[in-house]
Amino acid sequence: MGEQQVSDSTSVFVAAAPSYAGHDAPQRLLLVEDSPEYALLTEQLLHSHLGAQVEVRVCESLAAADRALSDEEPDCVLLDLSLPDVGGLEAVTGMHSAAPEVPIVVLSGSDDEALAVLAVKEGAQDYLVKHRVEADMLVRAIRYAIERKQSELMIARQALVDPLTGLPNRAVLVDRLHLALARVERSDDCLAVLFVDLDRFKIINDSLGHLAGDDALREVAKRLVGAVRPSDTVVRFGGDEFVVLCDGVGSQEQAERVAERICKELAQPLTLGERELVVAGSIGIAFSADQSVTGDQLIRVADQAMFRAKQRGSSWELAGPATGALPSRGLEIQAELRRALERVEFQLHYQPQMDLLTQRVSGVEALLRWKHPQRGLVLPDEFIPEAEQSGLIVAIGEWVIAEACRQLGGWRRAGLCEDELVMSLNLSPRQLADKRLVDIIDESLTGNAIPPERLCLEITESTVAADPERAARTLLAIKELGAQLAIDDFGTGHSSLAVLARHPLDVLKIDQSFVVPLGVSLRPRRLFGAIVGVARALTLGTVAEGIERQEQLAAVAEVGCGAAQGFLLARPAPGTTVGPSLRLPLAAM
């Protein structure tokens, strides 16, 4: 693992991309083959096509290849599966373990399709049968393997970095907190977690637009980094929330001085276009001098202290000793959520998805809203974590499934939508663990006369991470029912290529973080195209999320993405608003 600097005073650990040979340097290949005759033949094939532009190093065993890798990392490995010290898939897993960032092309004497599929699943980029290999085929396979590996590594790096600000994301925070708590146990130092939430940030998005809001978030990220020590970690936690991990602080007073510096930085006017604004923030501080708490508990306590700071109008609040107890505000929200269920205060808003070939509505995503009697319309990010924590998400999710199916059934009976319209909705980890989930889905579909394939259940990889075996059984049962499955937010946080092969998916929803840079340069377009290519190879449908600009829409259509969703096309709205427009071209909505 290499360390990539994300900013002047914070860094994130990412898988370092290999330095592939350029046009002026010969391509370095490692051929792992125990047959001298076939090794010589392969070298001749490569030199006949590439001449001096290729250097081939031959090793007769996996152990010899491992030693060669310690001398120099090649651009690609050509791997036989029948070696003296290892054979079959173990050769692939062994090589992938020894050089996880180097692409592998298998050269096997076995014309076994099942073996080829398994080899690719274990880490190879391609599988060629020896007696069919010709020079141009081999060179093409090597080139494509290198390009695919670069795309995989780029996606892996993206999973650890917030694409908007360049800061580390939650996955990095969890890892750093774990290490910091381990160090606390071995030293006299302490650590502090500062939870920073920007005040009234929604006004910027609503009045100046999301692009201006993005500019503001990037500037805030720079100021936070400038206010802390080089050894501290600044993370974008989500939306307009940031977390600062101060490792090795000597006292609570030192942590408070960091908060004071942050407040001074944020108090400086911010220029957005022709406007000058002040983006203030509220900060909660959690302090720990031992390992009796977890990183998650520290974040929750800091979050609760931040909420108190907002209520009292203070710049920051220092939490009491961090414990595993649920913050009192969480208990209040849970009580309110129970009342909301009883009084049916929840609503569904629907955001249409456009088929990029026909330019018409192909589906809608059901998005949960809470119509709070005092606070008005509350977005899910503000209450779903407490619903998940308390288990109330199961009852709320049951209501969502029933209501979404009721709405779709109503549209179909009224002739407001095409018969092929698909209703999408999200499943939570708790719902996947609910034994009644499949029956609830079946009852809702049957009761509203909806064909099962018109319902699409969306999951993220983190949704199935808690209990992968049970989740796999539940997802298989949903597929047997006939409903569709989609992987949501692909490319962020915990998502990986492995989940695409692990579950019976139908649709890949590509996260907004891959859409935002489109139109800025050619590289983001290539990365987006690579993801679409992976989905196409696995026969998955694709939906681009978060389309907000015309050039983004044009770019995702050009690379062959199947559908798009975002504010440019249509904002989420109640069913009574969306329904009458479902048969219109999406541009008319």
Side-chain angles (χ1 to χ4, degrees):
M1 300 285 280
E3 186 179 55
Q4 172 183 320
Q5 293 297 321
V6 178
S7 62
D8 291 337
S9 57
T10 187
S11 60
V12 55
F13 284 97
V14 299
S19 176
Y20 293 101
H23 295 294
D24 297 328
Q27 201 167 58
R28 302 182 308 276
L29 304 178
L30 177 62
L31 174 59
V32 189
E33 170 62 62
D34 65 335
S35 167
E37 295 80 7
Y38 190 78
L40 180 60
L41 175 62
T42 304
E43 286 189 78
Q44 289 174 344
L45 283 174
L46 291 167
H47 284 298
S48 69
H49 205 84
L50 296 175
Q53 288 301 307
V54 64
E55 293 179 355
V56 183
R57 181 171 181 177
V58 180
C59 292
E60 296 183 355
S61 67
L62 191 66
D66 193 32
R67 291 191 295 272
L69 288 169
S70 63
D71 297 335
E72 183 180 42
E73 191 170 87
D75 296 318
C76 186
V77 171
L78 306 178
L79 179 67
D80 182 24
L81 296 188
S82 299
L83 299 172
D85 53 350
V86 68
L89 291 177
E90 290 185 15
V92 179
T93 56
M95 179 56 64
H96 184 62
S97 175
E101 296 171 7
V102 178
I104 300 171
V105 174
V106 171
L107 291 176
S108 174
S110 174
D111 190 358
D112 185 338
E113 185 66 27
L115 179 62
V117 171
L118 290 172
V120 171
K121 285 186 177 181
E122 291 298 332
Q125 274 61 55
D126 207 341
Y127 183 102
L128 302 179
V129 180
K130 287 182 177 180
H131 65 268
R132 295 180 183 173
V133 172
E134 297 180 357
D136 57 345
M137 178 193 301
L138 181 57
V139 171
R140 191 184 313 116
I142 293 168
R143 184 174 71 250
Y144 287 168
I146 292 172
E147 290 176 356
R148 281 195 291 271
K149 192 66 177 182
Q150 285 178 316
S151 295
E152 289 175 16
L153 293 171
M154 193 178 298
I155 292 171
R157 291 195 294 276
Q158 186 75 27
L160 297 178
V161 178
D162 172 54
L164 177 64
T165 63
L167 294 176
N169 64 11
R170 291 192 193 195
V172 179
L173 176 64
V174 170
D175 182 63
R176 298 250 174 114
L177 264 172
H178 177 75
L179 294 174
L181 285 167
R183 282 194 293 270
V184 162
E185 196 71 13
R186 302 191 300 268
S187 68
D188 296 329
D189 287 331
C190 308
L191 67 87
V193 172
L194 283 68
F195 199 104
V196 184
D197 183 89
L198 304 183
D199 296 334
R200 298 177 296 280
F201 187 77
K202 187 175 183 294
I203 297 175
I204 296 178
N205 280 333
D206 291 346
S207 60
L208 301 181
H210 287 275
L211 294 180
D214 289 348
D215 289 340
L217 289 172
R218 280 189 282 263
E219 180 59 29
V220 166
K222 291 178 184 177
R223 294 185 181 189
L224 290 175
V225 168
V228 302
R229 304 168 303 174
S231 58
D232 296 333
T233 300
V234 180
V235 169
R236 186 183 178 204
F237 197 70
D240 59 351
E241 297 174 334
F242 298 82
V243 171
V244 180
L245 169 60
C246 298
D247 189 10
V249 294
S251 64
Q252 293 182 357
E253 290 75 16
Q254 187 175 345
E256 287 180 293
R257 287 196 293 273
V258 175
E260 185 175 358
R261 289 199 302 271
I262 290 173
C263 289
K264 286 182 179 179
E265 284 288 337
L266 295 181
Q268 300 301 313
L270 175 67
T271 301
L272 295 177
E274 298 179 354
R275 296 174 181 264
E276 193 173 78
L277 305 172
V278 173
V279 183
S282 301
I283 303 174
I285 307 171
F287 189 81
S288 179
D290 56 52
Q291 215 175 358
S292 62
V293 294
T294 65
D296 181 62
Q297 288 166 356
L298 279 171
I299 293 170
R300 289 175 62 79
V301 170
D303 186 13
Q304 176 61 17
M306 179 277 297
F307 186 82
R308 287 200 305 272
K310 278 191 182 293
Q311 285 184 318
R312 298 173 184 176
S314 58
S315 297
W316 73 80
E317 285 282 333
L318 183 65
T323 68
L326 190 67
S328 59
R329 176 56 183 162
L331 296 175
E332 292 173 16
I333 293 177
Q334 289 177 24
E336 290 179 343
L337 287 173
R338 288 189 179 91
R339 289 193 294 270
L341 270 170
E342 295 169 1
R343 300 170 184 174
V344 196
E345 294 175 357
F346 294 110
Q347 296 180 350
L348 289 183
H349 285 197
Y350 303 90
Q351 186 171 34
Q353 298 170 350
M354 182 175 78
D355 185 303
L356 290 172
L357 187 62
T358 66
Q359 304 289 300
R360 303 189 74 87
V361 179
S362 58
V364 294
E365 181 178 2
L367 301 167
L368 184 62
R369 303 289 186 262
W370 177 11
K371 193 174 182 180
H372 194 282
Q374 284 81 43
R375 299 169 58 195
L377 209 61
V378 182
L379 298 179
D381 285 351
E382 298 186 44
F383 64 87
I384 288 297
E386 294 301 339
E388 187 77 30
Q389 175 73 24
S390 64
L392 288 169
I393 193 66
V394 174
I396 295 173
E398 183 175 343
W399 178 87
V400 169
I401 294 169
E403 177 61 16
C405 290
R406 184 200 66 77
Q407 181 66 84
L408 180 57
W411 286 337
R412 289 169 65 90
R413 288 190 297 274
L416 292 176
C417 68
E418 304 287 349
D419 290 342
E420 294 77 18
L421 185 82
V422 174
M423 173 71 73
S424 297
L425 53 90
N426 293 280
L427 292 180
S428 75
R430 291 263 191 165
Q431 284 179 278
L432 276 184
D434 182 14
K435 296 179 180 178
R436 298 179 58 248
L437 176 63
V438 178
D439 290 337
I440 291 167
I441 295 171
D442 190 19
E443 292 168 6
S444 297
L445 290 169
T446 303
N448 292 281
I450 298 172
E453 66 271 16
R454 299 303 108 199
L455 182 67
C456 181
L457 291 311
E458 298 182 4
I459 61 168
T460 62
E461 187 167 3
S462 59
T463 305
V464 301
D467 191 344
E469 291 186 5
R470 173 182 285 184
R473 290 195 300 269
T474 303
L475 294 177
L476 184 59
I478 292 173
K479 281 296 297 178
E480 290 174 347
L481 192 65
Q484 297 188 51
L485 290 172
I487 186 75
D488 195 15
D489 298 333
F490 181 79
T492 65
H494 302 284
S495 69
S496 69
L497 294 174
V499 73
L500 302 182
R502 192 180 304 134
H503 300 296
L505 301 169
D506 301 282
V507 179
L508 187 153
K509 297 191 73 175
I510 305 173
D511 187 74
Q512 183 180 12
S513 60
F514 292 94
V515 172
V516 170
L518 293 177
V520 177
S521 65
L522 187 59
R523 188 166 185 171
R525 184 181 297 234
R526 287 175 174 168
L527 178 56
F528 190 93
I531 297 174
V532 171
V534 169
R536 188 181 295 120
L538 296 173
T539 65
L540 300 178
T542 46
V543 179
E545 300 182 288
I547 301 291
E548 295 189 357
R549 301 196 306 270
Q550 192 63 45
E551 59 265 31
Q552 295 171 347
L553 182 63
V556 300
E558 185 178 326
V559 299
C561 188
Q565 176 180 345
F567 285 176
L568 176 69
L569 303 170
R571 291 177 177 268
T576 52
T577 302
V578 173
S581 304
L582 289 173
R583 286 186 178 271
L584 299 174
L586 202 50
M589 296 188 67

